Amino acid sequence: MLGATNGKLNQATNAPGVTSPSVIAKIGYDKQLNNDLRFRLTGSIYNTAQSARTYLYGGDRAGSRYYFVMENTLATSKDNYSSGLITPGFTNELTAIMINPFVKYKGLEFFGMVEK
């Protein structure tokens, strides 16, 4: 699979030269080796060469799951909207690579994730 996007959550059109296209690719192999053994290996890559802000790891799509845990009792959602989020602060460019192995032997399944 191969795709492209502008990589933005907010589709503002001011400053169109700030962001270059983002490229997404995924490849996989899946094989039932015999009645007891199945093997699958997939890999994906996401690349943004230039952006005012990257959202892959920093965008909040579901809200924080740890509301105000490390805040004082005067904290408000307006002033502490990112409370509980881990935002690495990646800006300008981003390349993310993920590899997912899967092995199923009879009733036992192993699924892994390696990400850089």
Side-chain angles (χ1 to χ4, degrees), residues 21-22 26 29 31 34 45 54 56 74 79 90 94 109 114:
S22 297
K26 186 166 186 91
Y29 174 80
K31 178 82 173 177
N34 58 45
I45 186 167
T54 58
L56 183 64
L74 302 175
D79 295 328
F90 296 148
L94 171 69
E109 295 183 2
V114 178

Side-chain angles (χ1 to χ4, degrees), residues 32 34-40 102-110:
Q32 184 77 36
N34 58 45
N35 288 341
D36 295 332
L37 184 61
R38 178 181 178 188
F39 173 77
R40 179 174 60 226
F102 172 82
V103 176
K104 181 177 181 181
Y105 181 72
K106 295 186 179 184
L108 180 66
E109 295 183 2
F110 169 79

